[in-house]
């Protein structure tokens, strides 16, 4: 396992070499956004994690690296589009919230083709112990490679997120974090392995596991 994990990490780094930009030496402004994170005592944290700070960077991007049992992928998240959402995701990554977790929902229907992750216990159960508002304009679209927060209604964002592996014909109610910039073939392999539901919306036929997530 250690050798294979090392190989996967190396593959991720190689895959993103050409897409990583060099930071400018010139000083830049750092606009910020105020965020509201509300504890959910009725749904306590599934893993030890503190509530994020209420101040988020609102400019620039951050790359998030994932290693799964189907291969690696990399997501470039846009702080300007969803400053609080990206701030929260990075906080959860640094808290190792997503490490050694499982993705419980895979869909491949005519309307929706996504992988849903971030639920620690089972589908839509097991969040971080808090929630925060949506960051949407009503103009959002969700093409292949989009990464967005899942929710159970307005203002219920937490740790749940989904990756669009084909397309998602859904209302613009989900905060877009960013897009996959390397590793979409990983999702193609997941879909090819099948879904344990005749309606093509349910548990993957074979478990999908996230081994490790980190930022750079």
């Amino acid at each position: 396992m250690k050798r294979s994990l090392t190989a996967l990490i190396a593959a991720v780094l190689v895959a993103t070499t050409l897409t990583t930009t060099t930071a400018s030496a010139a000083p830049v402004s750092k606009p910020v956004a105020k965020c509201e994170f509300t504890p959910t005592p009725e749904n306590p944290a599934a893993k030890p994690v503190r509530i994020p700070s209420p101040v988020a960077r609102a400019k620039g991007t951050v790359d998030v690296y994932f290693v799964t049992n189907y291969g690696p992928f990399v997501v470039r998240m846009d702080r300007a589009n969803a400053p609080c959402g990206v701030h929260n995701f990075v906080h959860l990554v640094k808290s190792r919230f997503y490490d050694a977790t499982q993705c419980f929902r895979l869909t491949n229907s005519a309307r929706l083709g996504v992988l849903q992750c971030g639920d620690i216990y089972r589908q839509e159960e097991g969040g971080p112990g808090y929630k925060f508002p949506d960051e949407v304009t009503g103009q959002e679209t969700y093409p292949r490679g989009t990464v967005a927060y899942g929710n159970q209604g307005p203002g219920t964002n937490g740790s749940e997120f989904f990756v669009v592996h084909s397309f998602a014909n859904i209302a613009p109610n989900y905060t877009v974090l960013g897009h996959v910039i390397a590793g979409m073939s990983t999702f193609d392999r997941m879909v090819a392995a099948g879904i344990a539901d005749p309606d093509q919306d349910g548990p993957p036929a074979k478990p999908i596991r996230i081994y490790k997530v980190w930022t750079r």
Side-chain angles (χ1 to χ4, degrees):
M1 172 59 73
K2 184 176 181 181
R3 179 174 298 176
S4 62
L5 181 58
T6 301
L8 286 173
I9 293 172
V12 172
L13 297 177
V14 170
T16 56
T17 297
L18 297 179
T19 59
T20 302
T21 57
T22 302
S24 171
V28 294
S29 60
K30 293 184 178 180
V32 297
K34 294 294 183 66
C35 306
E36 182 180 355
F37 298 100
T38 305
T40 55
E42 70 281 8
N43 292 308
K47 281 187 170 184
V49 61
R50 296 181 178 178
I51 291 180
S53 72
V55 179
R57 291 172 56 186
K59 184 178 180 180
T61 61
V62 58
D63 291 348
V64 183
Y65 299 77
F66 297 76
V67 175
T68 80
N69 57 327
Y70 282 85
F73 64 96
V74 185
V75 178
R76 180 157 291 164
M77 297 191 175
D78 184 356
R79 297 184 190 275
N81 186 67
C84 296
V86 174
H87 175 61
N88 174 69
F89 204 97
V90 170
H91 171 75
L92 291 176
V93 168
K94 291 182 176 180
S95 300
R96 303 183 66 179
F97 191 85
Y98 295 118
D99 289 3
T101 60
Q102 189 169 329
C103 300
F104 293 102
R105 184 189 184 196
L106 182 62
T107 75
N108 192 29
S109 69
R111 184 183 74 90
L112 186 65
V114 304
L115 173 69
Q116 180 178 311
C117 306
D119 314 302
I120 302 304
Y121 299 139
R122 57 192 66 84
Q123 183 178 326
E124 297 187 351
E125 291 187 28
Y130 58 83
K131 62 183 179 180
F132 60 97
D134 305 317
E135 293 170 289
V136 295
T137 65
Q139 303 300 313
E140 284 76 13
T141 58
Y142 306 91
R144 175 175 163 89
T146 300
V147 181
Y149 275 116
N151 60 50
Q152 286 79 57
T156 59
N157 301 290
S159 58
E160 181 187 306
F161 67 96
F162 63 87
V163 182
V164 182
H165 62 72
S166 56
F167 50 81
N169 296 325
I170 54 179
N173 298 331
Y174 305 91
T175 300
V176 174
L177 290 164
H179 297 82
V180 175
I181 61 170
M184 281 305 301
S185 60
T186 293
F187 299 96
D188 296 336
R189 287 189 288 273
M190 293 173 182
V191 174
I195 302 171
D197 187 291
D199 294 328
Q200 295 297 285
D201 184 343
K206 298 180 180 178
I208 295 175
R209 305 185 190 281
I210 295 176
Y211 292 141
K212 179 72 178 175
V213 188
W214 73 98
T215 62
R216 175 180 164 190

